[in-house]
Amino acid sequence: MNVPLYEKLWMWASGVLIVAFLTTVAIGVASSALQPPSHVETIDPAKVWTDPRFTARGVTVDSAGVTVVAVAIMFAFNPAELRVPAHRPIKFRLTSADVTHGFQIVGTNANTMVVPGYVSEFTTSFDRPGEYLIVCNEYCGLSHHVMSGKLIVEEARP
Amino acid sequence: MTPLDRLSLAHLWVSILAFGAAAAMAFMQALSRANLDLPWRSAKMYYLSVTAHGVLMALVFTTFFIMGFGYVVATRVLGRPVAAPRLAWTAFWTALAGTLGAAAAILSGRATVLYTFYPPLRAHPAFYIGAALLIVGSWLWAIALLATYRAWRRDHAGEPAPLAMHGMLATVIVWLLATVGVAAEVVLLLIPWSLGWTRTVDPILARMLFWYFGHPLVYFWLLPAYVIWYTVLPRAAGGKLFSDPLARLVFILFIVLSTPVGFHHQFMDPGVPAGWKLLHTFLTFGILFPSLVTAFTVTASLEVAGRMRGATGLLDWLGKLPWGDPLFSSVALSMILFAVGGFGGAINASFGMNAVVHNTAWIQGHFHLTVGSAVALTFMGACYWLVPRLSGRDLELKLLAKVQPYFWFLGMLCFSIANHLTGLMGMPRRIYDASYGGSAAASQWFGLTGLSAVGGLLLFTSAGFFMLVMIGTGLAGPKREPEAIEWAEPLQPVDPKPSLLDRFGLWTALAILLIAIAYAYPLWAHLQMPRFGSPGYSPF
Ligand code: HEM
Ligand SMILES: [Cu+2]
Ligand SMILES: [Cu+2]
């Protein structure tokens, strides 16, 4: 195939651009473990309220670290308000007791789908203390737009 | 009008009317964004209309246009009748019956599940059966086109297919590979479940099958638009296609790469391992390549046109182009909007970075640039060109046709810029009301939601102009002599010998191999896990 010079240059430049994009993705993955939440764990959605993994809902702080456990239902998060310390890794564990929901902390990159039958898990930390809005970002029915919660990040007391 | 043109035209009319209805729905959604207190405004109406808008725009307007355009290419480029006219009409009626069934379910409020219909939200069975019929109709269309191509091939052994047909063949192959996923989802999982024959459905399995289909779906929309950019636009601009073989290469790359990338829509899903998401990310960036090549070839073709019209400077060829011709301006403006959308797409695909934009308003900003502009505006431009030539009636209301693409362009800039920004600020998509009980974070979105509403109004005006021109032309356009439909010629004559790029069987086999690599193991592993299905839920 005979390709004119300028187009050849363009095609090489396109290749370089794509490799550059992929390199940034690879660096993110390798260096800062910047990965989408991809935990694989299943749960019976009919038994969420009695499953020991989800009976202690809310924030627990122990030697293992800070863990948030919450359940999404039409049209609320349970619990609706979470208080966590700043600057510490926080593990979120979420599931749904009915349809598919989303869990997004506005103003951060904390974002995951919450799907019945599955446990979503991701770890993140918050450097700015304050009050954050949590929204459901997957359509879950007619009151989807009111499904929200609150995250309060507190400066750790000495 | 010949019977063949009647077939193409019937498809275009269904497509145009679906567009008009969907645009009317969008009007209400756009006003909702501005939080105006209108008497008929309710959450129920909002989500019903978003469902109807999404289904009619993304699945009906596009599919019927593409089916009709496929027949135009087969009859006018190959220069022969559709090989199986009865089959072709059966395809039309099947797809139309499916559309009407699904539309009835949506409009009666029994299928407010949005166009992605993720279970366990459950719709009336008519919705899923209608969707299945639309797909079956499109398969019959694919068979009719392939049969026509084979008949042509028998008389033209050893010749490469004309470029427009080459592109439509790629479209058909991508579609056949893609629809396997959604057909499996709808027929094996959702129809039996909505009829009560099975009790539960696994939502992640359903999402895997849906997005196996959902990404190549976007190339099913885009490839016919590319056919128009390569084989219609250069001529409309008064020039020639810069490179025929590279265009062929582009279509082939889409066959190979369109499907094994669906996990990039599931980055935020639990139950899908990160390693597979990463593999799909790599392949996704691969598909950037044919689009970048297209950007060059099409722009170069426009420069050729400008120079053939007498331009001599570095950039004055731009000014020589026929910006007052609605076919040309629609397509050219759609390409500019697509370039913006492409950059956003690279961000969406960036694995970890997706967390910032996933399911935010950014996404609706993004896809209104791509399918809502690159594809939709190109198709509208093509209607200005095709409807008069197929129906033998001149365009009515030419002035409206001239300004319509510019209204769309302006409206889309406001709409999509506003939505990209509110998305970055964390506003979710698919919400009836963005106030979140007066939350401080949500109150920052407000100025921009107003801009989005203004954009929506401009878009609605543009869609209204388009509908007026089309309906005016159909009902009252002055009769004129039938005119040939003409296609762009390449700058260099086409090589009469077929090359590797004409070996469709080979490339399809490679595509299937890649799909197997990207999907077979994750699907198999998924099915091995202990999984718990979900019963259905009504959205209210
Ligand atoms: C008349 C011009 C248009 C306007 C004013 C408009 C406006 C909107 C609005 C406000 C939404 C709802 C967003 C939300 O709540 O998430 C939406 C959704 C959507 N639009 Fe459009 N749109 C227009 C044209 C188009 C076109 C031409 C297409 C594609 C061919 C399209 C495809 C979609 C899709 C697929 C959705 C998603 C529905 C969903 O999230 O389920 N729109 N549009
Ligand atoms: Cu929701
Ligand atoms: Cu995609």
Side-chain angles (χ1 to χ4, degrees):
Chain A
M1 192 190 308
N2 102 48
V3 180
L5 176 66
Y6 283 114
E7 181 136 34
K8 219 174 258 169
L9 290 175
W10 172 269
M11 287 165 76
W12 277 106
S14 305
V16 169
L17 181 73
I18 289 170
V19 171
F21 281 158
L22 287 174
T23 312
T24 59
V25 169
I27 291 173
V29 171
S31 66
S32 46
L34 184 66
Q35 292 204 356
S38 306
H39 183 65
V40 182
E41 178 183 343
T42 56
I43 181 171
D44 185 346
K47 301 196 179 117
V48 164
W49 303 111
T50 51
D51 189 298
R53 289 170 289 177
F54 281 89
T55 42
R57 292 182 293 280
V59 184
T60 47
V61 185
D62 57 23
S63 56
V66 187
T67 308
V68 171
V69 172
V71 174
I73 43 167
M74 293 159 101
F75 297 97
F77 294 105
N78 180 318
E81 188 176 313
L82 303 163
R83 271 173 199 278
V84 299
H87 316 297
R88 289 185 60 179
I90 296 165
K91 188 203 280 179
F92 286 83
R93 285 177 55 80
L94 308 154
T95 192
S96 163
D98 43 46
V99 299
T100 299
H101 298 277
F103 178 92
Q104 177 193 346
I105 305 174
V106 172
T108 74
N109 64 357
N111 193 338
T112 183
M113 301 294 292
V114 184
V115 183
Y118 296 82
V119 178
S120 308
E121 184 182 300
F122 65 92
T123 302
T124 188
S125 58
F126 303 94
D127 289 335
R128 274 181 299 125
E131 194 180 301
Y132 292 80
L133 174 67
I134 302 173
V135 292
C136 169
N137 65 10
E138 182 55 83
Y139 171 73
C140 51
L142 294 196
S143 297
H144 162 56
H145 53 282
V146 300
M147 180 163 170
S148 59
K150 202 188 278 181
L151 177 84
I152 297 157
V153 177
E154 297 176 316
E155 203 60 73
R157 274 178 288 272
Chain B
M1 194 193 321
T2 68
L4 288 173
D5 290 342
R6 194 169 302 137
L7 178 66
S8 320
L9 210 52
H11 287 82
L12 295 189
W13 276 116
V14 173
S15 166
I16 291 166
L17 294 176
F19 173 86
M25 304 282 173
F27 179 60
M28 199 201 89
Q29 288 151 222
L31 288 186
S32 245
R33 272 287 150 281
N35 259 21
L36 298 180
D37 226 342
L38 302 169
W40 34 260
R41 186 173 167 247
S42 72
K44 194 168 171 180
M45 276 300 288
Y46 184 79
Y47 293 117
L48 187 152
S49 92
V50 175
T51 307
H53 173 78
V55 168
L56 286 174
M57 284 295 192
L59 304 175
V60 180
F61 157 61
T62 50
T63 305
F64 273 90
F65 179 88
I66 293 165
M67 288 167 71
F69 183 65
Y71 292 131
V72 172
V73 170
T75 53
R76 300 301 187 104
V77 175
L78 297 184
R80 59 190 308 132
V82 171
R86 288 255 278 294
L87 180 72
W89 279 108
T90 312
F92 174 78
W93 290 112
T94 309
L96 186 61
T99 300
L100 293 176
I106 295 169
L107 295 178
S108 65
R110 294 190 182 92
T112 307
V113 292
L114 305 192
Y115 87 110
T116 42
F117 52 85
Y118 298 137
L121 280 178
R122 186 169 57 193
H124 190 277
F127 176 81
Y128 304 113
I129 294 172
L133 285 178
L134 177 57
I135 293 161
V136 169
S138 74
W139 285 346
L140 300 179
W141 162 79
I143 295 171
L145 268 200
L146 290 176
T148 312
Y149 171 68
R150 283 180 67 107
W152 176 86
R153 169 107 344 281
R154 272 197 297 279
D155 301 345
H156 298 79
E159 275 176 47
L163 180 59
M165 192 63 206
H166 182 98
M168 284 317 293
L169 284 175
T171 308
V172 166
I173 294 169
V174 166
W175 185 240
L176 290 176
L177 291 174
T179 41
V180 172
V182 69
E185 183 199 6
V186 169
V187 174
L188 301 179
L189 302 182
L190 302 183
I191 291 180
W193 173 70
S194 69
L195 288 168
W197 299 346
T198 52
R199 218 182 58 75
T200 64
V201 65
D202 171 2
I204 288 287
L205 179 61
R207 287 172 66 85
M208 281 182 172
L209 293 172
F210 184 85
W211 287 113
Y212 167 98
F213 156 77
H215 196 79
L217 169 66
V218 315
Y219 294 111
F220 171 68
W221 300 328
L222 195 61
L223 293 190
Y226 278 14
V227 169
I228 292 167
W229 299 5
Y230 279 120
T231 69
V232 178
L233 179 71
R235 184 180 188 101
K240 294 190 169 185
L241 172 60
F242 186 69
S243 168
D244 176 282
L246 279 175
R248 288 174 196 268
L249 170 70
V250 162
F251 287 116
I252 292 298
L253 287 175
F254 279 114
I255 295 180
V256 175
L257 289 171
S258 284
T259 310
V261 295
F263 287 165
H264 72 218
H265 291 264
Q266 295 181 272
F267 281 141
M268 298 298 125
D269 277 18
V272 182
W276 289 103
K277 293 178 179 173
L278 192 60
L279 173 71
H280 284 218
T281 304
F282 277 77
L283 290 166
T284 302
F285 277 99
I287 333 187
L288 219 53
F289 187 74
S291 285
L292 287 167
V293 173
T294 300
F296 186 97
T297 308
V298 175
T299 313
S301 304
L302 295 185
E303 181 177 345
V304 168
R307 300 213 179 282
M308 284 169 73
R309 288 165 171 268
T312 49
L314 186 59
L315 286 175
D316 64 337
W317 53 271
L318 277 169
K320 299 267 185 206
L321 297 173
W323 293 99
D325 168 29
L327 166 63
F328 177 83
S329 59
S330 297
V331 178
L333 294 174
S334 88
M335 296 188 320
I336 299 173
L337 293 171
F338 189 53
V340 185
F343 285 109
I347 291 171
N348 303 344
S350 293
F351 201 58
M353 212 178 346
N354 178 269
V356 180
V357 296
H358 174 74
N359 267 351
T360 66
W362 165 288
I363 300 299
Q364 86 206 23
H366 168 71
F367 66 68
H368 280 91
L369 289 174
T370 51
V371 63
S373 295
V375 173
L377 194 51
T378 294
F379 288 1
M380 286 184 254
C383 284
Y384 292 135
W385 167 66
L386 282 176
V387 169
R389 283 168 177 73
L390 294 173
S391 66
R393 286 174 181 276
D394 245 341
L395 274 192
E396 238 348 291
L397 304 169
K398 286 206 176 87
L399 183 65
L400 290 188
K402 267 197 171 78
V403 297
Q404 180 269 333
Y406 295 91
F407 270 75
W408 193 274
F409 185 77
L410 214 71
M412 196 51 86
L413 281 182
C414 300
F415 182 85
S416 81
I417 289 174
N419 278 297
H420 276 90
L421 293 177
T422 44
L424 285 180
M425 293 159 74
M427 184 171 109
R429 66 187 276 212
R430 300 176 152 177
I431 49 171
Y432 161 64
D433 181 306
S435 56
Y436 286 99
S439 130
S443 63
Q444 300 183 339
W445 305 330
F446 271 108
L448 286 166
T449 51
L451 179 62
S452 155
V454 170
L457 284 180
L458 285 169
L459 285 168
F460 178 73
T461 311
S462 169
F465 287 176
F466 173 74
M467 292 307 291
L468 284 174
V469 174
M470 281 298 131
I471 292 176
T473 303
L475 296 181
K479 288 261 186 338
R480 63 177 211 179
E481 287 303 303
E483 191 184 324
I485 296 182
E486 291 173 321
W487 307 82
E489 308 209 334
L491 216 45
Q492 311 284 334
V494 181
D495 190 342
K497 284 194 303 298
S499 72
L500 201 56
L501 295 177
D502 298 295
R503 307 269 308 270
F504 282 93
L506 179 74
W507 297 110
T508 309
L510 184 60
I512 293 173
L513 179 71
L514 271 184
I515 292 172
I517 292 173
Y519 269 105
Y521 181 77
L523 260 180
W524 177 83
H526 185 83
L527 296 175
Q528 300 311 304
M529 276 197 298
R531 292 172 301 133
F532 303 90
S534 290
Y537 291 85
S538 147
F540 37 83

